[in-house]
Amino acid sequence: DPKKISALVARGSMSQEHDAYQAAEQDFLAATALEPNNVHAWSGLGIAWMYLEHACQEGECKPPTYDSYDEGSIAALRKVMALVPDNMVTLSNLVMAENRCCDWSRREKHIGQ
């Protein structure tokens, strides 16, 4: 039902505006289950998971099927990029999420210092 999906995405977006990221997560997950290629739902889910990574103590909580909210965020945002490759806002969010998960221990070697 397109109206239900639209309502879930809208409610998820409103929840994010009020820093209610767990509520947003539930709405975006429901929307992606109903419409697996819904760009707005995946994008919202990726952003919600980025924020939830900071809201939870390490190892305290994680999204279904992922080891961390950052990992889930990256997967969700990559899904958006696969559907809409020229979405620069999503690309920017994806780069931020991936940078948070990087192994920076080799940074000096890679930049030649």
Side-chain angles (χ1 to χ4, degrees):
D1 177 10
K3 286 184 180 181
K4 181 174 184 172
I5 296 163
S6 223
L8 287 166
V9 171
R11 189 170 65 187
S13 297
M14 287 177 45
S15 293
Q16 281 184 333
E17 288 178 20
H18 297 283
D19 298 332
Y21 295 105
Q22 289 177 322
E25 173 190 30
Q26 295 310 308
D27 286 332
F28 292 133
L29 281 171
T32 60
L34 293 171
E35 187 180 337
N37 289 330
N38 187 299
V39 172
H40 301 290
W42 282 110
S43 179
L45 183 60
I47 292 167
W49 282 348
M50 284 176 71
Y51 282 96
L52 284 169
E53 181 70 27
H54 296 289
C56 295
Q57 297 297 324
E58 190 168 330
E60 179 182 291
C61 53
K62 59 185 179 178
T65 70
Y66 296 103
D67 290 332
S68 71
Y69 277 113
D70 275 338
E71 183 183 305
S73 176
I74 290 167
L77 296 171
R78 284 183 179 168
K79 173 83 172 179
V80 175
M81 292 305 300
L83 295 168
V84 188
D86 62 346
N87 187 321
M88 292 299 109
V89 171
T90 299
L91 179 60
S92 176
N93 288 330
L94 178 58
V95 168
M96 285 189 291
E98 288 183 341
N99 279 336
R100 291 194 330 217
C101 294
C102 275
D103 175 6
W104 292 101
S105 65
R106 296 179 165 203
R107 179 183 182 276
E108 299 303 318
K109 180 180 178 182
H110 288 292
I111 61 172
Q113 295 179 349

